[in-house]
Amino acid sequence: FRFTADAERNTPLQTADVPENYLYEPNAAILKAGAFKQVAAQYGLKKLHQHSHLYTSETKIEAFPGRIFRINSVIPFGGKQLKTLHKTWPQANITTRNFPLSVEELRKKLKIRDGGTVYLFATTLANQEKVLIECSKAD
């Protein structure tokens, strides 16, 4: 993956109204380099929020430099549904991006153990809504 600082600065931000079918988490090198808009532009992705550094698309982009997940559900953060999530997913891999709680705080609040095949991304969408995105690794 190649980009320039000028290209990053001059690339318009394209955000998604809602998470689509796939979620993308760039690898550490992309994040450290600060290629947040360029990675979206070069792979035809939309950011979930300016500061989340998570991306989405309708179709799977195989060559993406990072992890790719299939989105199974999007759960608003708040309300009664959160209290019973541990019954549906007693174990999950939790990641937070642009979210007010840490992974440890969220794990304690949801009563979900670490590990398993379920991935929960706690993040903020472009409309400022806080959500949990339940995913599985894309094949």
Side-chain angles (χ1 to χ4, degrees):
F1 179 78
R2 294 173 189 244
F3 79 104
T4 65
D6 283 341
E8 176 68 19
R9 224 179 348 271
N10 296 323
T11 300
L13 176 66
Q14 186 174 12
T15 58
D17 294 330
V18 295
E20 296 175 352
N21 292 327
Y22 291 91
L23 180 87
Y24 301 85
E25 181 184 39
N27 62 34
I30 301 277
L31 295 174
K32 288 183 188 253
F36 308 122
K37 294 185 284 185
Q38 273 291 293
V39 75
Q42 288 187 29
Y43 289 94
L45 306 173
K46 298 175 192 163
K47 287 189 81 172
L48 292 181
H49 184 280
Q50 178 182 357
H51 302 296
S52 293
H53 311 315
L54 293 172
Y55 304 83
T56 191
S57 71
E58 282 294 325
T59 58
K60 185 177 173 186
I61 310 299
E62 296 283 350
F64 182 77
R67 298 194 303 170
I68 305 171
F69 299 89
R70 173 82 177 155
I71 296 175
N72 300 319
S73 62
V74 178
I75 304 147
F77 189 75
K80 297 177 182 179
Q81 191 175 8
L82 290 181
K83 293 180 182 181
T84 60
L85 280 183
H86 68 279
K87 293 178 182 174
T88 306
W89 304 302
Q91 191 174 6
N93 300 285
I94 298 176
T95 300
T96 59
R97 292 283 167 86
N98 191 27
F99 198 76
L101 300 177
S102 70
V103 170
E104 295 78 24
E105 292 168 328
L106 190 56
R107 194 173 292 292
K108 185 176 179 182
K109 181 179 182 77
L110 298 176
K111 301 175 187 166
I112 295 177
R113 294 185 324 272
D114 188 26
T117 59
V118 173
Y119 291 81
L120 292 176
F121 286 85
T123 192
T124 304
L125 300 180
N127 66 4
Q128 304 307 316
E129 180 184 8
K130 308 284 188 260
V131 296
L132 294 177
I133 303 173
E134 184 257 325
C135 304
S136 52
K137 279 213 168 176
D139 295 333

